[in-house]
Amino acid sequence: LDPGGFLGGLEDEEYARLEQLPPEAHTELDINIGEWLLADAVLQVDGEGVFALDLVLGEGGPLLPPNSREWLIAASERPMSLYDVIRVIPGEGLDLRDLVYPADPPVRVRDEAFSGSAQRGDIFGGRILRKGDDRILSEAFYPMPEDFAQDCLNEIFTEQEAAAKEAGPFIIDYWLLGLLGE
């Protein structure tokens, strides 16, 4: 897997197949790429790697409404991870277990919409944001079948031991492969 960019782990043929996906898949891609760009992307500026978020929030960045600025800061506080739904509270939220950091206690997230369709045992990649006293899920969502999730975790754990890498690039790559039906 190539964690160099959102689509960096795809082969040329897989990249070309993205064009054949239905419009709903392109909407998901747009949302996920947008969040990745703002929360995780490293851009080359004058030959130096700079987090896109630092450019947006830093001096000379765009003027943002306070709630947008707060969202961006919250998105950068916790890296993307792979979660297992351990409890659904319909109309209210979910209890999630972090599969990448299994020693962490379960987290309750407030999400009325997702709690209406989620089921215990669902696995997905995502990002938990702090919003006041609550925890919420960002809009970027990476559902994954159990076998893909296990392969993804195996690779994350191997890489983390070797180089302390973040899970996000692996989650993105496995989600994209699943999206392409591989």
Side-chain angles (χ1 to χ4, degrees), residues 37-111:
L37 180 62
L38 289 169
D40 297 318
V42 176
L43 306 174
Q44 292 297 313
V45 177
D46 297 328
E48 195 173 313
V50 179
F51 280 101
L53 184 63
D54 291 342
L55 295 172
V56 172
L57 293 177
E59 186 177 320
L63 294 176
L64 297 171
N67 62 339
S68 296
R69 192 169 194 67
E70 289 168 11
W71 185 93
L72 288 170
I73 292 168
S76 69
E77 288 177 346
R78 186 175 178 137
M80 185 188 312
S81 198
L82 201 56
Y83 296 98
D84 178 24
V85 177
I86 58 173
R87 182 173 172 219
V88 177
I89 306 151
E92 196 175 313
L94 311 160
D95 289 343
L96 304 174
R97 180 171 50 115
D98 191 325
L99 297 173
V100 176
Y101 300 98
D104 288 358
V107 175
R108 173 151 307 155
V109 294
R110 185 176 47 93
D111 194 312

Side-chain angles (χ1 to χ4, degrees), residues 12 19 32 45 48 80 103-104 110 115 120 123 126 142 155 170 173:
D12 290 342
E19 298 300 319
N32 292 359
V45 177
E48 195 173 313
M80 185 188 312
D104 288 358
R110 185 176 47 93
S115 69
R120 188 172 190 263
I123 299 174
Y142 302 83
E155 192 154 353
F170 299 99
D173 285 349

Side-chain angles (χ1 to χ4, degrees), residues 7-30:
L7 301 173
L10 296 179
E11 300 292 329
D12 290 342
E13 67 187 48
E14 294 165 333
Y15 186 80
R17 288 190 3 237
L18 284 178
E19 298 300 319
Q20 308 305 316
L21 293 174
E24 315 80 63
H26 284 279
T27 299
E28 288 177 42
L29 270 169
D30 290 346

